[in-house]
Amino acid sequence: MSAAEKVLYTGKTHTTGGRDGAARSDDGRLDTKLSTPGSSRPGTNPEQLFAAGWSACFIGAIGLAAGQSKVALPADVAVDAEVDLLNRDGGYFLKARLNVSLPGIDADVARRLVDAAHQTCPYSKATRGNIDVTINLV
């Protein structure tokens, strides 16, 4: 870590059993069963957790971009994240779509905010160049 870096938060979880196990955060706020995508077993799956985290972070990044641009965001900003688990030639990979709703915001302004958010959101940075991501304004 460089002298300019400052840790703001560290999320800590303990997971057992993989996709058919459980995950719990060290503070107990997250305590969930895990299940394979498409199964009828109780619990969520890593793709849903990733989609929820990314969409929440992305809304925060939109807010940051809006503040810098002096644009008032509507209260009902929403991101519907879709994370696909794919298989090709025996290898697994992800693909994602972020469907962003900014009601009442001019389409050009909305596109600028979303593009700026995609540059600053840590999840977007982590996935850039690693998975195919499409960002749609809906």
Side-chain angles (χ1 to χ4, degrees):
M1 181 175 351
S2 74
E5 290 178 331
K6 178 183 176 186
V7 175
L8 301 176
Y9 176 76
T10 300
K12 297 178 183 179
T13 61
H14 179 76
T15 302
T16 57
R19 288 183 174 271
D20 291 315
R24 188 174 199 285
S25 61
D26 65 330
D27 63 5
R29 290 182 169 191
L30 174 70
D31 189 358
T32 190
K33 292 180 180 178
L34 300 172
S35 61
T36 305
S39 79
S40 61
R41 293 189 60 236
T44 187
N45 60 65
E47 290 73 27
Q48 290 172 330
L49 291 169
F50 185 66
W54 192 357
S55 57
C57 184
F58 202 82
I59 289 172
I62 292 170
L64 180 65
Q68 292 170 342
S69 299
K70 307 222 182 316
V71 173
L73 287 180
D76 51 353
V77 170
V79 174
D80 292 323
E82 301 172 355
V83 176
D84 301 323
L85 174 63
L86 300 125
N87 181 296
R88 179 177 45 223
D89 301 325
Y92 294 97
F93 63 101
L94 299 175
K95 186 175 184 181
R97 287 163 306 289
L98 300 180
N99 301 305
V100 181
S101 174
L102 294 169
I105 302 288
D106 174 79
D108 290 335
V109 173
R111 177 50 60 189
R112 281 196 306 274
L113 294 176
V114 165
D115 289 346
H118 194 48
Q119 294 306 308
T120 61
C121 173
Y123 283 75
S124 293
K125 287 180 180 182
T127 59
R128 189 168 293 116
N130 295 311
I131 70 171
D132 181 24
V133 177
T134 302
I135 301 177
N136 301 305
L137 284 169
V138 295

PDB file of all heavy atoms in Angstrom, residues 18-22 33-48:
ATOM      1  N   GLY A  18     -18.873 -23.827  -0.249  1.00  0.00           N
ATOM      2  CA  GLY A  18     -18.961 -23.324  -1.623  1.00  0.00           C
ATOM      3  C   GLY A  18     -20.362 -22.897  -1.992  1.00  0.00           C
ATOM      4  O   GLY A  18     -21.080 -22.302  -1.195  1.00  0.00           O
ATOM      5  N   ARG A  19     -20.774 -23.226  -3.196  1.00  0.00           N
ATOM      6  CA  ARG A  19     -22.089 -22.807  -3.696  1.00  0.00           C
ATOM      7  C   ARG A  19     -23.251 -23.466  -2.958  1.00  0.00           C
ATOM      8  O   ARG A  19     -24.377 -23.019  -3.074  1.00  0.00           O
ATOM      9  CB  ARG A  19     -22.203 -23.094  -5.186  1.00  0.00           C
ATOM     10  CG  ARG A  19     -21.355 -22.159  -6.025  1.00  0.00           C
ATOM     11  CD  ARG A  19     -21.554 -22.436  -7.503  1.00  0.00           C
ATOM     12  NE  ARG A  19     -20.848 -21.463  -8.313  1.00  0.00           N
ATOM     13  CZ  ARG A  19     -21.370 -20.308  -8.714  1.00  0.00           C
ATOM     14  NH1 ARG A  19     -22.598 -19.983  -8.379  1.00  0.00           N
ATOM     15  NH2 ARG A  19     -20.673 -19.480  -9.460  1.00  0.00           N
ATOM     16  N   ASP A  20     -23.000 -24.501  -2.227  1.00  0.00           N
ATOM     17  CA  ASP A  20     -24.053 -25.159  -1.449  1.00  0.00           C
ATOM     18  C   ASP A  20     -23.787 -25.017   0.042  1.00  0.00           C
ATOM     19  O   ASP A  20     -24.119 -25.889   0.837  1.00  0.00           O
ATOM     20  CB  ASP A  20     -24.149 -26.644  -1.836  1.00  0.00           C
ATOM     21  CG  ASP A  20     -24.675 -26.813  -3.239  1.00  0.00           C
ATOM     22  OD1 ASP A  20     -25.654 -26.135  -3.594  1.00  0.00           O
ATOM     23  OD2 ASP A  20     -24.092 -27.605  -4.000  1.00  0.00           O
ATOM     24  N   GLY A  21     -23.195 -23.907   0.437  1.00  0.00           N
ATOM     25  CA  GLY A  21     -22.816 -23.713   1.825  1.00  0.00           C
ATOM     26  C   GLY A  21     -23.490 -22.519   2.463  1.00  0.00           C
ATOM     27  O   GLY A  21     -24.698 -22.305   2.315  1.00  0.00           O
ATOM     28  N   ALA A  22     -22.689 -21.734   3.155  1.00  0.00           N
ATOM     29  CA  ALA A  22     -23.191 -20.560   3.859  1.00  0.00           C
ATOM     30  C   ALA A  22     -22.085 -19.516   3.926  1.00  0.00           C
ATOM     31  O   ALA A  22     -20.898 -19.840   3.870  1.00  0.00           O
ATOM     32  CB  ALA A  22     -23.639 -20.934   5.271  1.00  0.00           C
ATOM     33  N   LYS A  33     -27.526 -18.482   3.558  1.00  0.00           N
ATOM     34  CA  LYS A  33     -27.282 -19.774   2.945  1.00  0.00           C
ATOM     35  C   LYS A  33     -26.978 -19.536   1.475  1.00  0.00           C
ATOM     36  O   LYS A  33     -27.507 -18.600   0.861  1.00  0.00           O
ATOM     37  CB  LYS A  33     -28.508 -20.673   3.084  1.00  0.00           C
ATOM     38  CG  LYS A  33     -28.772 -21.094   4.501  1.00  0.00           C
ATOM     39  CD  LYS A  33     -29.987 -21.981   4.588  1.00  0.00           C
ATOM     40  CE  LYS A  33     -30.181 -22.358   6.055  1.00  0.00           C
ATOM     41  NZ  LYS A  33     -31.347 -23.179   6.263  1.00  0.00           N
ATOM     42  N   LEU A  34     -26.145 -20.386   0.917  1.00  0.00           N
ATOM     43  CA  LEU A  34     -25.799 -20.301  -0.495  1.00  0.00           C
ATOM     44  C   LEU A  34     -26.358 -21.506  -1.223  1.00  0.00           C
ATOM     45  O   LEU A  34     -26.449 -22.598  -0.660  1.00  0.00           O
ATOM     46  CB  LEU A  34     -24.274 -20.246  -0.663  1.00  0.00           C
ATOM     47  CG  LEU A  34     -23.593 -19.057   0.005  1.00  0.00           C
ATOM     48  CD1 LEU A  34     -22.077 -19.216  -0.058  1.00  0.00           C
ATOM     49  CD2 LEU A  34     -24.029 -17.754  -0.638  1.00  0.00           C
ATOM     50  N   SER A  35     -26.738 -21.294  -2.462  1.00  0.00           N
ATOM     51  CA  SER A  35     -27.247 -22.389  -3.279  1.00  0.00           C
ATOM     52  C   SER A  35     -26.796 -22.184  -4.723  1.00  0.00           C
ATOM     53  O   SER A  35     -26.493 -21.070  -5.141  1.00  0.00           O
ATOM     54  CB  SER A  35     -28.772 -22.464  -3.190  1.00  0.00           C
ATOM     55  OG  SER A  35     -29.364 -21.274  -3.661  1.00  0.00           O
ATOM     56  N   THR A  36     -26.800 -23.251  -5.453  1.00  0.00           N
ATOM     57  CA  THR A  36     -26.425 -23.218  -6.855  1.00  0.00           C
ATOM     58  C   THR A  36     -27.484 -22.436  -7.638  1.00  0.00           C
ATOM     59  O   THR A  36     -28.688 -22.612  -7.389  1.00  0.00           O
ATOM     60  CB  THR A  36     -26.319 -24.654  -7.391  1.00  0.00           C
ATOM     61  OG1 THR A  36     -25.409 -25.381  -6.552  1.00  0.00           O
ATOM     62  CG2 THR A  36     -25.821 -24.697  -8.813  1.00  0.00           C
ATOM     63  N   PRO A  37     -27.077 -21.587  -8.596  1.00  0.00           N
ATOM     64  CA  PRO A  37     -28.063 -20.850  -9.394  1.00  0.00           C
ATOM     65  C   PRO A  37     -29.083 -21.788 -10.025  1.00  0.00           C
ATOM     66  O   PRO A  37     -28.722 -22.849 -10.554  1.00  0.00           O
ATOM     67  CB  PRO A  37     -27.214 -20.180 -10.479  1.00  0.00           C
ATOM     68  CG  PRO A  37     -25.859 -20.071  -9.887  1.00  0.00           C
ATOM     69  CD  PRO A  37     -25.707 -21.282  -9.014  1.00  0.00           C
ATOM     70  N   GLY A  38     -30.342 -21.424  -9.921  1.00  0.00           N
ATOM     71  CA  GLY A  38     -31.415 -22.211 -10.515  1.00  0.00           C
ATOM     72  C   GLY A  38     -31.913 -23.364  -9.670  1.00  0.00           C
ATOM     73  O   GLY A  38     -32.886 -24.014 -10.033  1.00  0.00           O
ATOM     74  N   SER A  39     -31.268 -23.621  -8.541  1.00  0.00           N
ATOM     75  CA  SER A  39     -31.731 -24.724  -7.703  1.00  0.00           C
ATOM     76  C   SER A  39     -32.920 -24.273  -6.868  1.00  0.00           C
ATOM     77  O   SER A  39     -33.168 -23.088  -6.701  1.00  0.00           O
ATOM     78  CB  SER A  39     -30.610 -25.225  -6.780  1.00  0.00           C
ATOM     79  OG  SER A  39     -30.456 -24.368  -5.671  1.00  0.00           O
ATOM     80  N   SER A  40     -33.633 -25.234  -6.329  1.00  0.00           N
ATOM     81  CA  SER A  40     -34.775 -24.905  -5.474  1.00  0.00           C
ATOM     82  C   SER A  40     -34.376 -24.848  -3.999  1.00  0.00           C
ATOM     83  O   SER A  40     -35.223 -24.631  -3.141  1.00  0.00           O
ATOM     84  CB  SER A  40     -35.887 -25.939  -5.680  1.00  0.00           C
ATOM     85  OG  SER A  40     -35.404 -27.229  -5.323  1.00  0.00           O
ATOM     86  N   ARG A  41     -33.097 -25.014  -3.725  1.00  0.00           N
ATOM     87  CA  ARG A  41     -32.616 -24.963  -2.343  1.00  0.00           C
ATOM     88  C   ARG A  41     -32.721 -23.534  -1.823  1.00  0.00           C
ATOM     89  O   ARG A  41     -32.601 -22.571  -2.584  1.00  0.00           O
ATOM     90  CB  ARG A  41     -31.157 -25.421  -2.285  1.00  0.00           C
ATOM     91  CG  ARG A  41     -31.001 -26.899  -2.633  1.00  0.00           C
ATOM     92  CD  ARG A  41     -29.611 -27.427  -2.377  1.00  0.00           C
ATOM     93  NE  ARG A  41     -29.258 -27.274  -0.970  1.00  0.00           N
ATOM     94  CZ  ARG A  41     -28.182 -26.612  -0.549  1.00  0.00           C
ATOM     95  NH1 ARG A  41     -27.372 -26.046  -1.396  1.00  0.00           N
ATOM     96  NH2 ARG A  41     -27.929 -26.530   0.731  1.00  0.00           N
ATOM     97  N   PRO A  42     -32.902 -23.370  -0.519  1.00  0.00           N
ATOM     98  CA  PRO A  42     -32.951 -22.018   0.042  1.00  0.00           C
ATOM     99  C   PRO A  42     -31.578 -21.349  -0.054  1.00  0.00           C
ATOM    100  O   PRO A  42     -30.553 -22.023  -0.069  1.00  0.00           O
ATOM    101  CB  PRO A  42     -33.342 -22.249   1.497  1.00  0.00           C
ATOM    102  CG  PRO A  42     -33.022 -23.671   1.785  1.00  0.00           C
ATOM    103  CD  PRO A  42     -33.090 -24.409   0.485  1.00  0.00           C
ATOM    104  N   GLY A  43     -31.602 -20.040  -0.156  1.00  0.00           N
ATOM    105  CA  GLY A  43     -30.365 -19.283  -0.183  1.00  0.00           C
ATOM    106  C   GLY A  43     -30.167 -18.547  -1.483  1.00  0.00           C
ATOM    107  O   GLY A  43     -30.939 -18.678  -2.431  1.00  0.00           O
ATOM    108  N   THR A  44     -29.128 -17.768  -1.510  1.00  0.00           N
ATOM    109  CA  THR A  44     -28.782 -16.986  -2.690  1.00  0.00           C
ATOM    110  C   THR A  44     -27.538 -17.591  -3.327  1.00  0.00           C
ATOM    111  O   THR A  44     -27.058 -18.636  -2.892  1.00  0.00           O
ATOM    112  CB  THR A  44     -28.571 -15.502  -2.313  1.00  0.00           C
ATOM    113  OG1 THR A  44     -28.398 -14.747  -3.505  1.00  0.00           O
ATOM    114  CG2 THR A  44     -27.384 -15.312  -1.394  1.00  0.00           C
ATOM    115  N   ASN A  45     -27.029 -16.960  -4.353  1.00  0.00           N
ATOM    116  CA  ASN A  45     -25.827 -17.459  -5.003  1.00  0.00           C
ATOM    117  C   ASN A  45     -24.838 -16.316  -5.218  1.00  0.00           C
ATOM    118  O   ASN A  45     -25.207 -15.138  -5.099  1.00  0.00           O
ATOM    119  CB  ASN A  45     -26.178 -18.188  -6.310  1.00  0.00           C
ATOM    120  CG  ASN A  45     -26.884 -17.292  -7.291  1.00  0.00           C
ATOM    121  OD1 ASN A  45     -26.315 -16.322  -7.780  1.00  0.00           O
ATOM    122  ND2 ASN A  45     -28.140 -17.604  -7.590  1.00  0.00           N
ATOM    123  N   PRO A  46     -23.592 -16.626  -5.503  1.00  0.00           N
ATOM    124  CA  PRO A  46     -22.582 -15.582  -5.650  1.00  0.00           C
ATOM    125  C   PRO A  46     -22.908 -14.543  -6.721  1.00  0.00           C
ATOM    126  O   PRO A  46     -22.588 -13.367  -6.565  1.00  0.00           O
ATOM    127  CB  PRO A  46     -21.313 -16.361  -6.009  1.00  0.00           C
ATOM    128  CG  PRO A  46     -21.513 -17.702  -5.394  1.00  0.00           C
ATOM    129  CD  PRO A  46     -22.991 -17.970  -5.544  1.00  0.00           C
ATOM    130  N   GLU A  47     -23.570 -14.973  -7.790  1.00  0.00           N
ATOM    131  CA  GLU A  47     -23.909 -14.026  -8.852  1.00  0.00           C
ATOM    132  C   GLU A  47     -24.906 -12.978  -8.356  1.00  0.00           C
ATOM    133  O   GLU A  47     -24.792 -11.794  -8.679  1.00  0.00           O
ATOM    134  CB  GLU A  47     -24.448 -14.776 -10.080  1.00  0.00           C
ATOM    135  CG  GLU A  47     -23.394 -15.592 -10.807  1.00  0.00           C
ATOM    136  CD  GLU A  47     -22.961 -16.858 -10.060  1.00  0.00           C
ATOM    137  OE1 GLU A  47     -23.761 -17.412  -9.258  1.00  0.00           O
ATOM    138  OE2 GLU A  47     -21.821 -17.285 -10.272  1.00  0.00           O
ATOM    139  N   GLN A  48     -25.889 -13.405  -7.555  1.00  0.00           N
ATOM    140  CA  GLN A  48     -26.849 -12.456  -6.994  1.00  0.00           C
ATOM    141  C   GLN A  48     -26.167 -11.517  -6.007  1.00  0.00           C
ATOM    142  O   GLN A  48     -26.443 -10.308  -6.000  1.00  0.00           O
ATOM    143  CB  GLN A  48     -27.993 -13.194  -6.300  1.00  0.00           C
ATOM    144  CG  GLN A  48     -28.907 -13.903  -7.261  1.00  0.00           C
ATOM    145  CD  GLN A  48     -29.917 -14.778  -6.545  1.00  0.00           C
ATOM    146  OE1 GLN A  48     -29.660 -15.311  -5.462  1.00  0.00           O
ATOM    147  NE2 GLN A  48     -31.079 -14.955  -7.166  1.00  0.00           N
TER     148      GLN A  48
END
